Amino acid sequence: MERVIDLTESADALRRDPHPVYARLREQGPVHRVRLAMPGGDWETWLIVGYEEARAALADQRLAKDIAKIGDPPLDEQLLGKYLLVADPPQHTRLRGLVTRAFTARRVERLRPRIQQITDGLLDEMLPHGRADLIGSLAYPLPLTVICELLGVPEMDRTEFRKISTEVVAPTDADAEHAAIVRLAEYLTELIEDKRRAGPTDDLLSDLIRTTSEDGDRLSARELRGMAFLLLIAGHETTVNLIGNAVLALLTHPAQLAALRADMTLLDAAVEETLRWEGPVENATFRYAAEPLEIAGAEIGQGGHVLIGLTAAQRDGARYTDPDRFDIRRDTRGHLAFGHGIHYCLGAPLARLEGGIALGTLLERAPGLALDGEPGEWLPGMLMRGVRSLPVRW
């Protein structure tokens, strides 16, 4: 019987600052059986906290993403349909191929002028006030506007969408999460049907409706809904936290902020160090052992749930020297903020583009930027890592 480390009493510490908790676990080994406090109740899982083990696990085909291999599909998949994060090859290969045909690097790069325009508009509104909540004024509306425009989500729907989206990725309780997923499934079904009836437009969702592979394959209605869900949620929630975490890191490390202001060619490096030091995704979504396997001496039985700690792995001193130090001149190559292997984040180029434009423009236009009080609470749950609010002044 393997030893189970009870982390339920550390739930508040994990939410406020998980790094000391993960550091203590890494001292004991790279893989542990843990009990976590989750929205639906306490949950036991395997947790990987070592860098090398996490990187290997992210690409290990024996760790399935499709829970149907060991049990019933979760609520989101039942209501929304199959999407990339809950699919394995060959289904994942097929879905990703169809999406990649529409969501191209060229399409992302074409968004650069519009992202700059949206950023400037938001700062035009924000800066005359002298102080603001950076999350509500810039970090949230920028990626939300970008992904909604990219996918073709109507303007009037975006306020409600924000409430639903936040409840899905950082649920306050199981009932609220269930209600949010139900509402989102209804909304996306209506949106896709509206687009089918309206005929071709130049947004990504319309392209996905029309996209066909060489052999005539295309996304089903359920697959379209699942893909729209993934692109909408993952396409903005992660970038909100990337922007917020980057500004918070720089404002609490004045020497690093001064170095960046003195040499703005370090901007991309500052974004990458944020992704490593306090990335927007704390843990990868669950994987399941499709067969018995062993990771760093831990014997994981078939059907075992596995949580890969991205935040934990990226503070592993065996991979990064002095890992708890925020250093924008660090060589961050190999960080796992966007995952690794076949599930590497499809939207990574868009997130980097938005993060760089938002951070660079903010620092340029607000030279006296500083914290204006304590940041808001960290998001609940084990998936996202970011603050609800970030008061700043300039």
Side-chain angles (χ1 to χ4, degrees), residues 255-307:
Q256 297 297 308
L257 177 58
L260 178 56
R261 286 195 179 282
D263 181 5
M264 288 299 284
T265 64
L266 291 169
L267 181 62
D268 289 346
V271 169
E272 296 304 312
E273 174 65 345
T274 299
L275 288 164
R276 182 205 69 86
W277 188 76
E278 197 75 276
V281 181
E282 185 172 342
N283 295 283
T285 52
F286 276 113
R287 283 164 165 78
Y288 314 97
E291 60 186 73
L293 71 152
E294 180 265 329
I295 301 177
E299 299 289 342
I300 302 174
Q302 184 172 1
H305 292 62
V306 178
L307 202 56

Side-chain angles (χ1 to χ4, degrees), residues 93-167:
T93 311
R94 172 183 162 267
L95 290 174
R96 186 153 182 142
L98 284 165
V99 176
T100 304
R101 293 174 74 88
F103 192 38
T104 61
R106 183 178 301 173
R107 186 173 209 144
V108 170
E109 185 55 36
R110 283 205 311 265
L111 293 171
R112 182 182 293 274
R114 179 58 181 147
I115 294 171
Q116 185 66 61
Q117 184 182 34
I118 296 167
T119 302
D120 287 333
L122 291 168
L123 291 178
D124 287 346
E125 291 180 30
M126 185 181 101
L127 292 176
H129 299 286
R131 56 175 18 111
D133 166 25
L134 189 86
I135 304 298
S137 298
L138 178 65
Y140 214 113
L142 171 60
L144 182 59
T145 302
V146 170
I147 199 66
C148 285
E149 287 188 0
L150 178 63
L151 282 164
V153 176
E155 181 83 37
M156 62 183 178
D157 295 328
R158 295 179 197 174
T159 302
E160 182 187 5
F161 176 70
R162 175 182 177 178
K163 296 176 189 171
I164 295 171
S165 172
T166 304
E167 195 60 55

Side-chain angles (χ1 to χ4, degrees), residues 94 97-98 101 210-218:
R94 172 183 162 267
L98 284 165
R101 293 174 74 88
R210 298 192 307 270
T211 292
T212 308
S213 65
E214 286 86 351
D215 62 2
D217 186 24
R218 61 196 311 163

Side-chain angles (χ1 to χ4, degrees), residues 56-360:
L58 286 167
D60 194 330
Q61 298 289 301
R62 297 172 299 174
L63 291 174
K65 298 302 291 284
D66 188 351
I67 196 174
K69 292 180 178 176
I70 64 163
D72 296 329
L75 176 68
D76 58 350
E77 187 182 332
Q78 291 176 39
L79 292 172
L80 293 161
K82 186 68 74 175
Y83 54 95
L84 290 172
L85 282 181
V86 293
D88 298 314
Q91 189 175 35
H92 175 275
T93 311
R94 172 183 162 267
L95 290 174
R96 186 153 182 142
L98 284 165
V99 176
T100 304
R101 293 174 74 88
F103 192 38
T104 61
R106 183 178 301 173
R107 186 173 209 144
V108 170
E109 185 55 36
R110 283 205 311 265
L111 293 171
R112 182 182 293 274
R114 179 58 181 147
I115 294 171
Q116 185 66 61
Q117 184 182 34
I118 296 167
T119 302
D120 287 333
L122 291 168
L123 291 178
D124 287 346
E125 291 180 30
M126 185 181 101
L127 292 176
H129 299 286
R131 56 175 18 111
D133 166 25
L134 189 86
I135 304 298
S137 298
L138 178 65
Y140 214 113
L142 171 60
L144 182 59
T145 302
V146 170
I147 199 66
C148 285
E149 287 188 0
L150 178 63
L151 282 164
V153 176
E155 181 83 37
M156 62 183 178
D157 295 328
R158 295 179 197 174
T159 302
E160 182 187 5
F161 176 70
R162 175 182 177 178
K163 296 176 189 171
I164 295 171
S165 172
T166 304
E167 195 60 55
V168 170
V169 299
T172 49
D173 60 60
D175 289 342
E177 180 184 21
H178 179 278
I181 292 172
V182 169
R183 177 69 192 100
L184 193 55
E186 292 170 348
Y187 171 74
L188 291 174
T189 299
E190 294 167 9
L191 179 64
I192 290 166
E193 283 309 307
D194 286 347
K195 288 192 175 296
R196 283 192 197 278
R197 285 193 296 268
T201 54
D202 63 355
D203 61 80
L204 179 58
L205 193 50
S206 293
D207 275 6
L208 287 174
I209 291 170
R210 298 192 307 270
T211 292
T212 308
S213 65
E214 286 86 351
D215 62 2
D217 186 24
R218 61 196 311 163
L219 294 169
S220 70
R222 280 179 59 78
E223 289 168 345
L224 265 172
R225 189 168 59 221
M227 204 58 66
F229 160 75
L230 178 63
L231 292 169
L232 270 173
I233 300 291
H236 82 278
E237 287 286 356
T238 49
T239 310
V240 173
N241 296 324
L242 169 57
I243 295 169
N245 292 357
V247 173
L248 180 57
L250 287 165
L251 294 183
T252 51
H253 294 81
Q256 297 297 308
L257 177 58
L260 178 56
R261 286 195 179 282
D263 181 5
M264 288 299 284
T265 64
L266 291 169
L267 181 62
D268 289 346
V271 169
E272 296 304 312
E273 174 65 345
T274 299
L275 288 164
R276 182 205 69 86
W277 188 76
E278 197 75 276
V281 181
E282 185 172 342
N283 295 283
T285 52
F286 276 113
R287 283 164 165 78
Y288 314 97
E291 60 186 73
L293 71 152
E294 180 265 329
I295 301 177
E299 299 289 342
I300 302 174
Q302 184 172 1
H305 292 62
V306 178
L307 202 56
I308 302 174
L310 307 181
T311 289
Q314 299 190 133
R315 297 286 189 102
D316 188 344
R319 176 62 181 84
Y320 295 105
T321 304
D322 197 3
D324 292 324
R325 181 167 53 90
F326 179 71
D327 179 6
I328 64 173
R329 292 189 174 89
R330 178 192 302 275
D331 181 355
T332 58
R333 281 178 296 185
H335 74 64
L336 304 175
F338 293 118
H340 175 62
I342 65 168
H343 290 284
Y344 184 82
C345 177
L346 192 68
L350 179 59
R352 286 182 163 117
L353 181 60
E354 290 178 288
I357 289 174
L359 188 58

Side-chain angles (χ1 to χ4, degrees), residues 15-27:
R15 181 171 179 171
R16 289 192 310 272
D17 183 7
H19 303 293
V21 179
Y22 292 145
R24 288 194 296 273
L25 289 174
R26 277 196 308 272
E27 287 172 4

Side-chain angles (χ1 to χ4, degrees), residues 5-11 14 21-22 25 34-37 47:
I5 299 176
D6 190 347
L7 295 180
T8 57
E9 294 181 1
S10 303
L14 277 168
V21 179
Y22 292 145
L25 289 174
V34 300
R35 183 177 297 112
L36 299 169
L47 175 64

